[in-house]
Amino acid sequence: MEIKRFESGSRMSQAVVYNNTVYLAGQVGNAGEDVVTQTKQALAEVDRLLALAGTDKTRILSTTVWLADMADFAKMNSVWDAWVPQGNAPARATGEAKLATPEYLVEVIVTAAL
């Protein structure tokens, strides 16, 4: 099976497709924005990358959400709940972690079917 890589750089690809599965790199919003805005931006990037790979959010299998502070869980979920397609919610885990820079408040990692 062929491996397809999208938006590849020297360190990573933003999306990789193999065996009818799409793996996205962690998506973040603009550093310094609030968690609601960053979540909206990250999910917009998920939508864009899934479309680039030939699929969409109704085909998401699993998602991992990392928050810099679990105190932002409800705010992130307010955006997630409006974005996730009714009847197509993926398996999901959410945890707290130090992200690449202190200005990042949320990171979303997605695996989807083609």
Side-chain angles (χ1 to χ4, degrees):
M1 263 222 138
E2 179 186 2
I3 298 173
K4 294 181 184 177
R5 300 176 197 283
F6 298 88
E7 299 185 5
S8 295
S10 61
R11 179 168 292 151
M12 62 187 234
S13 297
Q14 290 299 315
V16 176
V17 176
Y18 177 73
N19 200 25
N20 293 318
T21 305
V22 181
Y23 305 89
L24 298 187
Q27 299 304 307
V28 296
N30 294 329
E33 298 282 357
D34 62 64
V35 72
V36 168
T37 302
Q38 284 189 30
T39 302
K40 287 178 182 178
Q41 292 167 340
L43 294 177
E45 278 300 293
V46 167
D47 283 332
R48 185 185 71 77
L49 289 166
L50 290 176
L52 185 64
T55 192
D56 63 53
K57 65 185 172 184
T58 66
R59 310 269 301 155
I60 295 175
L61 303 170
S62 68
T63 302
T64 302
V65 179
W66 291 113
L67 291 168
D69 186 342
M70 284 303 287
D72 288 332
F73 187 67
K75 290 177 186 175
M76 177 277 298
N77 272 329
S78 71
V79 177
W80 173 269
D81 291 344
W83 176 82
V84 72
Q86 185 71 20
N88 290 289
R92 192 187 96 175
T94 304
E96 182 177 281
K98 284 187 177 181
L99 301 179
T101 71
E103 293 82 21
Y104 287 140
L105 304 178
V106 61
E107 182 170 359
V108 181
I109 304 164
V110 166
T111 302
L114 276 182

